[in-house]
Amino acid sequence: MDVLKRFAIGAVYPIVALVIIGIFWLAMQTGMDAMESIYNGLILMFPLIVSMGIAIGMSKDQSGAAALAGAVGWLVYGAVIVSLNYPKDGVFTPTEFSANFNFFSGIYMGITAGVLYNKFYNIRLPEWLAFFGGRRFVPIVTSVVALFIGAFVAAIN
């Protein structure tokens, strides 16, 4: 039950973002072009917001390092998906809705970042690597795990 409670806490942040997206959608209906650009940017980056929110909620102490890990994880995941599914001669348009970039990608990268934060937030490294220990280690390990998750998802599509 504790994991479900943490997930629910993390889901609050994307819900707040949905409210903001709704406000910009209403403002876009007035015909202001700037509001449409803001709305499209928020829709495009919504999986990133979901990833950061879920990572914060899943972490033990709702740390900003978990949010950073969620953001880094989703960005690495996205870069791997683009580089493996859209080779150099292909064209990638980020505005198209694809299965790789919907909000589910934000959910599983956020869960991954939160779980990795809980596992590695207090890790001790050797003295010459001590700067990268603790909470600073979490985005590093999350990016490596996101690399493999992205490669797996790209291979099955």
Side-chain angles (χ1 to χ4, degrees):
M1 188 66 178
D2 187 45
V3 173
L4 190 58
K5 182 180 175 185
R6 287 183 185 175
F7 183 81
I9 290 170
V12 169
Y13 297 107
I15 291 170
V16 170
L18 279 176
V19 170
I20 295 168
I21 289 170
I23 290 170
F24 281 110
W25 180 80
L26 286 174
M28 182 182 72
Q29 300 306 313
T30 62
M32 296 177 7
D33 290 336
M35 295 301 156
E36 185 175 356
S37 299
I38 294 170
Y39 170 78
N40 288 334
L42 286 172
I43 289 295
L44 183 64
M45 289 293 122
F46 187 66
L48 178 66
I49 296 167
V50 169
S51 178
M52 292 173 68
I54 298 295
I56 289 172
M58 294 295 290
S59 66
K60 288 182 180 177
D61 54 358
Q62 285 77 36
S63 174
L68 177 63
V72 168
W74 189 81
L75 290 171
V76 169
Y77 166 83
V80 169
I81 291 292
V82 168
S83 65
L84 292 179
N85 283 348
Y86 304 96
K88 293 179 183 176
D89 58 341
V91 176
F92 171 69
T93 54
T95 56
E96 68 184 19
F97 186 77
S98 68
N100 297 330
F101 291 105
N102 60 16
F103 74 100
F104 288 118
S105 65
I107 290 174
Y108 57 75
M109 286 314 306
I111 290 172
T112 302
V115 167
L116 290 173
Y117 177 84
N118 291 340
K119 185 168 180 70
F120 294 113
Y121 76 98
N122 57 0
I123 191 171
R124 297 241 184 239
L125 295 176
E127 186 176 327
W128 56 281
L129 284 175
F131 178 77
F132 298 109
R135 294 183 176 163
R136 292 184 186 116
F137 183 73
V138 177
I140 297 168
V141 72
T142 302
S143 65
V144 172
V145 171
L147 182 84
F148 291 110
I149 291 174
F152 175 74
V153 171
I156 62 173
N157 281 339

